[in-house]
Amino acid sequence: MGRYVLRRAGQGIFVLWAAFTISFFILYLLPSDPAALMASGGGETDAVDPALLADLRAQYGLDRPVLVQYADALWHAVRLDFGTSYSSGASAGALVLQALPETLKLTGAALVLAVLAGTGLALASTFPRARWVRQLLSSLPPLGVALPTFWVGLLLLQWFSFQIPVFPAIGNEGAISLVLPAITLAIPATAGIAQVLARSLRGTLTEPYVETARAKGASRARVHFAHALRNAAIPALTVLGVLVGGLLAGAVVTETVFSRVGLGRLTVMSVNTQDIPVVQAIVVFSALVFVVVTLVVDLVYPLLDPRIDVRRTAVTA
Amino acid sequence: MTATRDVDQVLDAPQVRSPEEIEIADRADARAIIHGGEVRGSRGGRGALRSVRYLARRPGLVLSGLVVLLVVAWALVPQIFTAHDPIIGVPADRLQPPSAAHLFGTDHLGRDVYARVVHGASVSLRATVVAVAVGLLGGSLLGLLAGFLRGWVDDVISRVVDVLLAIPSLLLSLAIITALGFGTVKVAVAVGVASVATFARVMRAEVLRTSTSVYVEAAHASGVRWYTVLRRHVLPNSSGPVVALTALEFGTAVLAISALSFLGYGTPPPAPEWGSLVSGGRDYLATAWWLTTLPGLVIVAVVLSANRIARALEQTGDES
Amino acid sequence: MSEPLLEIEGLEVGYRTRGGGTYRAVRGVDLTVARGEIVALVGESGSGKSTLAHAALHLLSRGGSVTAGTIRLAGRDLGDLTDKEWEQVRGREIGLVPQDPTVSLNPVARVGDQVAEVLVIHGVARRKEARRRAVELLRQAGIDDPEARARQYPSQLSGGMRQRVLIAIAIAARPRLLVADEPTSALDVTVQRRILDHLDGLVRELGTAVLLITHDLGVAADRADRLVVLERGVVVEEGPAEQVLRDPQHPYTRQLIAAAPSLSSARLVVGGSVAESSRPVGRPDGSVLAVRGLRKEFPLPRGAARRSLVAVDDVSFTVRRGETYALVGESGSGKSTTARLALRLERPTAGRIDFEGTDITDVRGRELRRLRRGFQVVYQSPYASLDPRFTVEQIITEPLRAYQVGSASERADRARSLVDDVALPAEVLRRGARELSGGQRQRVAIARAIALHPALVVLDEPVSALDVSVQAQILELLVRLQAEHGLTYLFISHDLAVVRQISDHVGVMQAGRVVEQGRTDAILLDPQETYTRELIAAIPGRRALAGLEESR
């Protein structure tokens, strides 16, 4: 077990390093001149004083060879230092950490909502005897993934903040301000979970071992919940990493729509001002979230699926 | 003991015992009986008649096709669909609710929203096509190399793809936009690059599946050269799921591009673009619901249609 | 006959087809099973035998329904039971032993719990008690150390053991009737025999009646009191097993008996005699393929107890011109890997392969491709070995195109004559492979293999995926083509009964080694090795044959 965790952790570190490298090359090598971007703050890059540019380059070390810059950046990143923000001068890492709590509240609420609603919808669209009920409910997830998040957010605002003023339109004050953004963010995730789990359930229900269960005289509910659900949950679990990443990305749009502060808002502001160090810190952070979630899923897996643990012990036995 | 047995079973894959295979044949027959009309031989009518019958039983698919056709027509010849100017409004008519004269109402400058949606189709669709093309070409090529050459090429490509999949695609697009700057084409490229990994993964899986299939080995064993095998067997048999994914990515790209345009990274105003149209209605949520709702509905319709077509393509792939 | 347990009268089962019609899978079947009786329902694929079995359990797949007729169990009409009432019948009154043990157990539940579940569902025992009884049931089903096995998961058990678990599940609530749907066809012959022996003893001891569904007339004849022969959803013949075998009334039954390899014992020949003189004379020693000390290791994944698995271990044999050499063995014996090594689709770890006197062990690239003209292959599954997008003509001419043999029109001519050679009508040339039946597809695959006039054809289980009557036709075709074209065959099979019909020499493989080889008739009559004897004893139908001989 210990060696397994160690190996998976090693793979996670590789993913983080690769995410850092890819983002470094995208952000520092693609633009013709980061210093010009810096000086212009997202505006036109032509009319900038050359002397100022040279100063900036020297100040941020952009006049050194690329590989030296990369090695230096990597060395700092290992110590969680992603450089200083071009626009505010604060540490990029600190800015991310500062924005994080509000976004965690939002994505956490949305994740809980999505897992509950998605699982419920998947079961409700496969269990009922009546075919039309299943068909009707099965048509909801494809609809859910086709809705633009920003549009859903605006519609909710329109109905529940302006037409019927139940929830505040903007801001971060209190749990009540979390309701509409969390629902907005949860909708595509719910649809995604429901789609994957329902598809997996439908596949599982045609497996021969389900027929064995039915031949035992097991009731419909027993077949569905005791046999099919657990088997179906296993492949569905693997999408969790991508799902949480999607929530993080969705926060960019959601926080903009509801004018909330948080990581998403920070992302938008940094892209607007082409604040490279902050954007890179955010990208690497999102990869970190993915790695951690995937690692947790991998550790939970053997509890659900004995085959995985079995293989590992069997080969040594 | 169980471990060696597992390995045995892997080794035995090419020599699957008889009755299992008979059962597979049996199941294929059963499926043919249930879905295909009769068992084998006569598979219903031919050509046109068959497609008509196929479509007649899928009104949703027909509707989706019509939606896509309509939007493409909007992009190509917008002036046929609306007489209003998308840029210059009539200030007297500002913030009118939907009516016969203004289907989608008017905005704060008195511009016809429907006209702006119709004219916006061209920019939004062009960006979508660029995005899908970038993802399809880049991803398929990587996937093909990985799946066909295998070995270390596959290892390297698969690792890179894994890492790209670990970064949420919207954030990856935003990073690219940070570097490249704003504008519709840049947004499109950013969305396309972010979808390369998905295409690569599907293409690799398909190529791997076909190139390890028995009929490919049979071609190889009867002396066919590798590039002929690739051209005549592997590529045609791998393309199905990639085609379905292309349709699906079309919908995804529409969503991603409109989101980025909503955030303000696309074409600057006053040029119309679907995402920025929705965002333009933000200040009038309380008073002019149509400004956000109706352009948004158009986006939903297009994405739903693309997804429906993708599902149909996926299913025809399954049957073959 | 004692009083009837299961009575089926005028049963009709239909599947809704996509076109809106109905496919009648079972048409007006009458069938009775008496208490304690074993009845075998024999039929080929598409005969409706599985459908009938599932109808008896009310487990028809989606789109299927009973459209007419009655099913009675111990006098009770099952026709108008509700779903809830059916749950009381399944498991309690009728048990099912399903087809494929490798996929019929829930992979994430312990096998003991899966057996105990039946007892819990039917209120026979409570949790703890059920668990204890499950261990007892596993022991009854012939599982050693059932206490430990009960705590294991299906993936930790072999296929044979999993089938025993499924038998324990089926008998757990002491049903009066067992429906056994091809219970052992996914297993190796020796395992199959042991399991059927055990099931046989168990049901006779418990007095359970069995409806045994099988495609194998040999299995049916060995195990059943009565045979019911099903063809395309209609019962064409029924009667006591011995009587049906000795004196079949219906032509289809006669055809089935004639085709069943396990019930015949002779080498197939063309026109009554092997055309010895027509065989071309080759090299002095007459060897087409000779392998010496062949060894193949596969690396195992990291973390395994061993570094590699030896699939083929010191194998030597010679295939002489114009003859058929058969390699026979159970799954995992390394027979197919040997064939792939001979075809140079894999590289051997050690040893030497000579083809027509040339050492081909290490040739590669262009030279290997040139040599491939001389040895071609026919695979087991005609469903997998033909590109679904190709027409028959494209498939057959592909090797010709690869070696640029003739012009396009010459190749088309050659395709026509090849199709004729394998006894297919010329119009199949334009059809897609997927429009053909399994037997037709295998003919196409054979035509492709002989298109280049190869010296050697490797036949890797070429008839295992086919129904028995089709199997017989393909074997006859292979024998005829061999005589006409002077072909040399390396024939891979798991089925000694088939091997007996087609091969001159045989090598018996076990765990990567050839344990015994020699002339086929000699080995079958006088096997020297225990394993060979076991294999021969496991050929189904022997008991029935012996019975017949005695009564003659």
Side-chain angles (χ1 to χ4, degrees):
Chain A
M1 192 70 188
R3 261 177 60 191
Y4 175 70
V5 176
L6 226 61
R7 207 182 74 226
R8 296 292 296 115
Q11 285 167 359
I13 289 169
F14 166 80
V15 170
L16 284 180
W17 165 77
F20 173 84
T21 307
I22 289 173
S23 58
F24 179 87
F25 284 96
I26 289 176
L27 289 164
Y28 286 91
L29 294 187
L30 272 187
S32 45
D33 191 347
L37 287 181
M38 226 182 292
S40 64
E44 289 300 310
T45 50
D46 309 333
V48 184
D49 177 16
L52 177 66
L53 279 185
D55 271 1
L56 275 173
R57 281 197 200 105
Q59 188 188 336
Y60 286 94
L62 295 171
D63 50 355
R64 296 170 298 167
V66 172
L67 283 179
V68 175
Q69 285 186 48
Y70 169 72
D72 187 48
L74 184 60
W75 173 237
H76 281 95
V78 169
R79 293 172 297 167
L80 301 177
D81 174 8
F82 290 90
T84 49
S85 160
Y86 292 171
S87 51
S88 71
S91 148
L95 283 174
V96 168
L97 286 181
Q98 199 184 331
L100 193 58
E102 283 304 317
T103 303
L104 278 187
K105 275 189 221 160
L106 175 62
T107 48
L111 182 64
V112 171
L113 260 182
V115 168
L116 293 179
T119 311
L121 187 53
L123 287 171
S125 65
T126 50
F127 185 66
R129 238 175 255 274
R131 199 173 135 87
W132 67 270
V133 175
R134 280 178 302 175
Q135 276 180 334
L136 183 76
L137 292 172
S138 302
S139 64
L140 289 181
L143 181 67
V145 294
L147 300 176
T149 310
F150 57 92
W151 183 68
V152 172
L154 290 178
L155 285 193
L156 289 178
L157 272 181
Q158 198 170 301
W159 295 334
F160 298 107
S161 295
F162 294 111
Q163 309 281 351
I164 319 162
V166 187
F167 300 105
I170 54 167
N172 289 54
E173 285 79 47
I176 192 110
S177 74
L178 207 59
V179 175
L180 291 185
I183 291 175
T184 306
L185 193 53
I187 283 177
T190 302
I193 292 176
Q195 234 171 358
V196 171
L197 187 59
R199 176 182 279 221
S200 178
L201 262 172
R202 271 184 225 113
T204 308
L205 285 170
T206 64
E207 292 285 336
Y209 58 77
V210 166
E211 187 178 283
T212 306
R214 293 177 66 199
K216 287 175 183 175
S219 64
R220 201 177 157 83
R222 189 182 194 99
V223 167
H224 213 87
F225 292 95
H227 290 276
L229 183 58
R230 189 163 162 201
N231 279 289
I234 292 165
L237 205 60
T238 51
V239 301
L240 205 64
V242 174
L243 192 89
V244 172
L247 287 176
L248 217 50
V252 173
V253 172
T254 313
E255 288 178 4
T256 306
V257 170
F258 292 93
S259 308
R260 291 174 61 86
V261 294
L263 203 55
R265 195 85 197 111
L266 178 69
T267 311
V268 172
M269 282 171 352
S270 311
V271 176
N272 282 341
T273 54
Q274 296 188 294
D275 198 338
I276 290 174
V278 183
V279 173
Q280 190 183 20
I282 291 169
V283 168
V284 175
F285 175 75
S286 72
L288 174 70
V289 169
F290 177 88
V291 165
V292 170
V293 173
T294 317
L295 188 62
V296 170
V297 168
D298 278 352
L299 295 181
V300 172
Y301 235 99
L303 300 180
L304 272 177
D305 188 350
R307 279 166 295 184
I308 293 174
D309 208 55
V310 163
R311 285 229 177 98
R312 274 212 316 278
T313 50
V315 277
T316 47
Chain B
M1 106 135 250
T2 40
T4 46
R5 228 200 120 76
D6 275 355
V7 175
D8 280 2
Q9 276 157 3
V10 173
L11 293 184
D12 272 330
Q15 56 177 49
V16 185
R17 277 148 317 192
S18 61
E20 279 174 8
E21 280 283 333
I22 291 178
E23 279 320 309
I24 291 166
D26 242 342
R27 265 178 233 146
D29 280 347
R31 229 179 290 135
I33 289 165
I34 296 167
H35 300 297
E38 282 160 58
V39 189
R40 274 198 195 86
S42 59
R43 288 193 58 177
R46 293 233 158 242
L49 188 65
R50 237 173 78 194
S51 8
V52 168
R53 234 187 275 157
Y54 175 83
L55 290 175
R57 255 176 278 130
R58 291 166 183 79
L61 182 60
V62 175
L63 188 66
S64 302
L66 290 177
V67 167
V68 170
L69 282 180
L70 177 70
V71 173
V72 169
W74 282 358
L76 294 177
V77 279
Q79 59 279 10
I80 291 186
F81 294 92
T82 174
H84 295 284
D85 189 292
I87 310 288
I88 304 159
V90 182
D93 290 347
R94 61 193 295 267
L95 293 176
Q96 298 265 320
S99 64
H102 302 286
L103 275 182
F104 286 8
T106 59
D107 67 3
H108 59 291
L109 296 174
R111 294 176 296 196
D112 182 76
V113 177
Y114 174 68
R116 285 178 67 73
V117 170
V118 169
H119 283 270
S122 148
V123 179
S124 295
L125 285 196
R126 206 176 313 145
T128 307
V129 169
V130 170
V132 173
V134 167
L136 176 65
L137 292 180
S140 305
L141 191 66
L142 285 177
L144 184 63
L145 287 175
F148 197 72
L149 297 179
R150 293 179 234 171
W152 68 267
V153 179
D154 184 22
D155 285 344
V156 170
I157 292 176
S158 295
R159 286 295 85 73
V160 172
V161 164
D162 283 349
V163 172
L164 287 178
L165 289 171
I167 304 171
S169 51
L170 187 71
L171 287 183
L172 191 58
S173 300
L174 284 172
I176 296 169
I177 290 170
T178 309
L180 290 182
F182 306 159
T184 309
V185 177
K186 289 168 181 167
V187 163
V189 170
V191 169
V193 171
S195 71
V196 161
T198 313
F199 276 104
R201 201 177 48 164
V202 171
M203 188 71 176
R204 172 183 175 274
E206 279 308 300
V207 170
L208 211 57
R209 186 179 61 79
T210 42
S211 61
T212 52
S213 69
V214 180
Y215 59 82
V216 163
E217 190 184 282
H220 176 61
S222 57
V224 182
R225 292 183 181 85
W226 70 266
Y227 47 87
T228 315
V229 172
L230 183 66
R231 184 170 51 82
R232 280 170 56 98
H233 295 285
V234 176
L235 276 182
N237 283 297
S238 310
S239 58
V242 180
V243 170
L245 179 67
T246 307
L248 192 68
E249 277 298 320
F250 189 87
T252 313
V254 168
L255 277 181
I257 288 168
S258 64
L260 291 169
S261 134
F262 170 85
L263 292 173
Y265 303 133
T267 313
E273 201 178 343
W274 290 349
S276 57
L277 278 179
V278 175
S279 125
R282 278 184 76 183
D283 299 334
Y284 303 91
L285 279 181
T287 49
W289 59 270
W290 56 91
L291 287 183
T292 45
T293 307
L294 296 179
L297 269 181
V298 170
I299 300 176
V300 173
V302 172
V303 177
L304 270 181
S305 302
N307 291 357
R308 178 67 189 85
I309 292 169
R311 210 162 62 238
L313 289 170
E314 205 179 344
Q315 279 162 0
T316 45
D318 283 351
E319 273 163 36
S320 64
Chain C
M1 195 199 285
S2 61
E3 71 181 295
L5 175 65
L6 177 74
E7 297 162 277
I8 294 177
E9 265 170 46
L11 188 72
E12 299 259 343
V13 183
Y15 287 100
R16 248 193 347 267
T17 63
R18 208 184 247 188
T22 307
Y23 175 82
R24 294 170 65 206
V26 172
R27 316 171 192 211
V29 165
D30 297 332
L31 179 80
T32 52
V33 180
R35 284 179 202 275
E37 188 189 26
I38 300 182
V39 175
L41 192 57
V42 187
E44 298 185 288
S45 54
S47 65
K49 57 185 193 303
S50 254
T51 301
L52 189 67
H54 285 86
L57 281 150
H58 199 64
L59 280 178
L60 287 171
S61 58
R62 217 155 47 92
S65 61
V66 172
T67 49
T70 55
I71 303 175
R72 270 195 301 276
L73 187 74
R76 177 188 185 196
D77 191 346
L78 303 182
D80 25 67
L81 296 190
T82 63
D83 283 357
K84 271 270 160 263
E85 287 167 329
W86 265 113
E87 285 163 15
Q88 306 295 316
V89 172
R90 287 196 288 259
R92 181 82 219 226
E93 313 266 334
I94 310 177
L96 171 74
V97 183
Q99 248 165 33
D100 187 348
T102 53
V103 290
S104 292
L105 287 168
N106 185 344
V108 301
R110 296 173 199 276
V111 296
D113 293 346
Q114 298 194 49
V115 178
E117 189 185 10
V118 190
L119 303 171
V120 174
I121 287 172
H122 295 290
V124 177
R126 293 201 167 265
R127 236 155 226 279
K128 219 165 179 183
E129 165 72 2
R131 230 171 245 180
R132 202 184 52 72
R133 297 254 304 256
V135 173
E136 192 43 47
L137 283 161
L138 287 172
R139 188 193 314 279
Q140 261 190 320
I143 286 183
D144 294 332
D145 194 8
E147 286 89 358
R149 294 295 180 195
R151 285 194 298 273
Q152 288 187 310
Y153 292 95
S155 52
Q156 290 167 294
L157 306 183
S158 70
M161 265 202 273
R162 286 186 225 185
Q163 192 56 284
R164 287 174 192 271
V165 173
L166 285 160
I167 289 172
I169 289 174
I171 60 166
R174 292 276 179 276
R176 281 175 288 186
L177 174 68
L178 273 192
V179 174
D181 186 4
E182 300 267 13
T184 54
S185 27
L187 303 170
D188 276 329
V189 273
T190 49
V191 183
Q192 170 176 355
R193 174 167 170 244
R194 284 196 289 272
I195 292 205
L196 285 176
D197 280 348
H198 195 87
L199 184 64
D200 220 349
L202 200 57
V203 294
R204 302 227 185 249
E205 182 192 315
L206 299 171
T208 315
V210 178
L211 181 60
L212 174 69
I213 316 291
T214 180
H215 70 281
D216 190 332
L217 204 53
V219 167
D222 276 354
R223 307 291 165 181
D225 304 317
R226 228 145 41 78
L227 295 189
V228 176
V229 181
L230 206 59
E231 185 197 15
R232 292 163 161 270
V234 178
V235 173
V236 295
E237 179 147 7
E238 69 163 301
E242 197 181 305
Q243 186 193 318
V244 171
L245 281 189
R246 192 186 316 136
D247 186 19
Q249 298 301 308
H250 194 274
Y252 178 71
T253 316
R254 275 185 228 131
Q255 188 195 327
L256 268 188
I257 293 175
S262 51
L263 296 176
S264 65
S265 51
R267 166 78 156 93
L268 287 170
V269 286
V270 181
S273 70
V274 183
E276 200 71 50
S277 57
S278 74
R279 288 186 177 175
V281 188
R283 298 172 44 80
D285 67 346
S287 109
V288 173
L289 177 76
V291 304
R292 293 287 168 265
L294 209 56
R295 181 181 177 86
K296 178 67 185 176
E297 295 173 14
F298 288 102
L300 286 177
R302 261 185 308 172
R306 285 171 298 158
R307 298 292 288 273
S308 65
L309 179 101
V310 183
V312 174
D313 188 7
D314 193 21
V315 164
S316 305
F317 61 87
T318 305
V319 185
R320 289 191 179 73
R321 192 169 302 277
E323 284 192 352
T324 302
Y325 185 95
L327 276 178
V328 66
E330 296 185 291
S331 60
S333 63
K335 57 187 191 302
S336 272
T337 308
T338 307
R340 293 170 56 78
L341 290 169
L343 285 162
R344 279 301 319 277
L345 291 168
E346 301 272 4
R347 288 173 66 87
T349 312
R352 179 187 160 113
I353 308 165
D354 284 289
F355 175 70
E356 301 211 292
T358 316
D359 183 355
I360 63 164
T361 321
D362 294 310
V363 291
R364 44 198 319 185
R366 194 171 295 185
E367 178 64 9
L368 179 59
R369 204 179 82 83
R370 197 182 58 75
L371 284 162
R372 283 200 188 286
R373 268 188 91 144
F375 46 92
Q376 296 282 308
V377 57
V378 175
Y379 289 93
Q380 172 180 16
S381 166
Y383 299 92
S385 67
L386 309 180
D387 189 325
R389 288 169 186 266
F390 274 33
T391 65
V392 170
E393 178 163 354
Q394 284 173 315
I395 291 167
I396 294 181
T397 53
E398 182 163 52
L400 301 172
R401 284 172 51 116
Y403 290 99
Q404 282 144 22
V405 178
S407 65
S409 71
E410 282 166 352
R411 288 198 290 265
D413 288 343
R414 178 92 178 103
R416 251 191 305 281
S417 86
L418 279 165
V419 161
D420 186 53
D421 248 357
V422 296
L424 286 175
E427 58 260 27
V428 300
L429 283 171
R430 284 190 310 276
R431 295 173 65 181
R434 66 169 69 165
E435 292 175 59
L436 306 182
S437 70
Q440 289 172 323
R441 283 171 185 230
Q442 200 60 304
R443 286 170 192 270
V444 172
I446 291 169
R448 169 175 65 185
I450 61 172
L452 290 165
H453 301 293
L456 174 73
V457 179
V458 176
L459 304 155
D460 188 359
E461 301 257 15
V463 295
S464 316
L466 307 171
D467 273 329
V468 270
S469 53
V470 183
Q471 207 170 21
Q473 292 161 12
I474 296 288
L475 289 175
E476 276 164 26
L477 171 71
L478 287 170
V479 170
R480 178 170 63 76
L481 289 174
Q482 181 168 43
E484 285 174 11
H485 299 279
L487 293 168
T488 306
Y489 291 151
L490 174 59
F491 190 96
I492 312 297
S493 180
H494 71 285
D495 191 344
L496 257 183
V498 168
V499 165
R500 176 170 57 189
Q501 284 183 292
I502 193 159
S503 69
D504 304 297
H505 286 85
V506 63
V508 180
M509 286 193 75
Q510 183 194 19
R513 291 173 164 273
V514 173
V515 293
E516 185 166 6
Q517 60 178 324
R519 292 198 59 87
T520 308
D521 40 10
I523 294 224
L524 280 166
L525 281 176
D526 186 22
Q528 300 300 310
E529 296 292 319
T530 338
Y531 181 70
T532 316
R533 263 182 240 137
E534 206 182 318
L535 266 189
I536 293 172
I539 300 177
R542 288 182 64 84
R543 220 156 71 175
L545 268 183
L548 283 187
E549 314 256 284
E550 265 168 41
S551 64
R552 246 171 217 162

